[in-house]
Amino acid sequence: MNYSGLLVVFPPERTEAGIAALNALDGVEVHHSDPATGRIVAVQECERIQDEVDGLKRIKKLPGIILAELVYHHFEEDPMHVTEIPADLEDPPGGVPGYLKERAS
């Protein structure tokens, strides 16, 4: 089993809606929030690393979201699940990751 600790930020006035949207997603549970700043700490539980990547992408597309980033990752030592870092997560040498460029434009 894989667990991701996520920092998610919504505008403060959308914090409650953001919490509801996150808790509605399969495998995601909100553990802490700060309504004054819109910061939310959530845990995502998935079987495979690729499922975690896909889940984070899904979270980043929620309406009104400002930021969603992986801040902690735990995975069980299972060679079937851990073969390589997904290409989506690899930073290009000396460059800005593609997902950051997408958000800036």
Side-chain angles (χ1 to χ4, degrees):
M1 189 59 61
N2 297 286
Y3 300 95
S4 300
L6 307 171
L7 171 63
V8 183
V9 181
F10 283 90
E13 66 275 7
R14 292 196 38 88
T15 304
E16 291 303 317
I19 291 169
L22 290 166
N23 281 329
L25 297 173
D26 286 339
V28 177
E29 184 178 338
V30 170
H31 287 274
H32 179 74
S33 66
D34 180 4
T37 63
R39 292 181 183 149
I40 299 168
V41 175
V43 172
Q44 176 180 238
E45 182 179 331
C46 298
E47 285 293 322
R48 300 177 316 125
I49 292 173
Q50 188 60 51
D51 295 336
E52 285 181 287
V53 172
D54 294 342
L56 183 56
K57 286 180 180 179
R58 178 181 58 190
I59 290 168
K60 287 182 177 200
K61 291 180 181 177
L62 291 174
I65 197 159
I66 293 173
L67 174 112
E69 293 299 331
L70 175 73
V71 293
Y72 177 80
H73 174 71
H74 169 80
F75 59 93
E76 294 180 8
E77 295 292 331
D78 184 342
M80 188 171 96
H81 294 151
V82 185
T83 56
E84 63 185 54
I85 296 174
D88 297 16
L89 295 181
E90 288 189 26
D91 291 344
V96 175
Y99 69 89
L100 289 177
K101 289 180 184 176
E102 293 169 11
R103 300 296 280 175
S105 53

